[in-house]
Amino acid sequence: MCTVGGGPTGDLNFDDDRVKVKNYRCNDCEEKFPHINPNKKPICPNCDSANVTEI
Ligand SMILES: [Zn+2]
């Protein structure tokens, strides 16, 4: 009998709460868009403006 690798699955144990999505609204064109990466500045995908407000 070989039972190697028969443990409970732990490789795909992602926690959804760790991924925070913030929503922003562009002050220039009123476009609403989600921003996922906190290391990057939120930029409007519609007009490339950085003049956005978190909603
Ligand atoms: Zn915009």
Side-chain angles (χ1 to χ4, degrees):
M1 264 220 189
C2 182
T3 56
V4 175
T9 55
D11 289 334
L12 295 173
N13 190 19
F14 285 111
D15 191 348
D16 282 348
D17 289 340
R18 274 194 257 164
V19 181
K20 273 193 183 172
V21 178
K22 289 181 177 179
N23 287 296
Y24 287 84
R25 188 188 68 234
C26 177
N27 293 317
D28 289 337
C29 74
E30 309 253 314
E31 173 89 356
K32 289 176 190 166
F33 60 96
H35 182 66
I36 302 166
N37 192 342
N39 297 317
K40 271 185 161 185
K41 245 177 128 182
I43 301 284
C44 174
N46 193 45
C47 68
D48 286 334
S49 172
N51 183 19
V52 297
T53 304
E54 188 179 339
I55 55 175

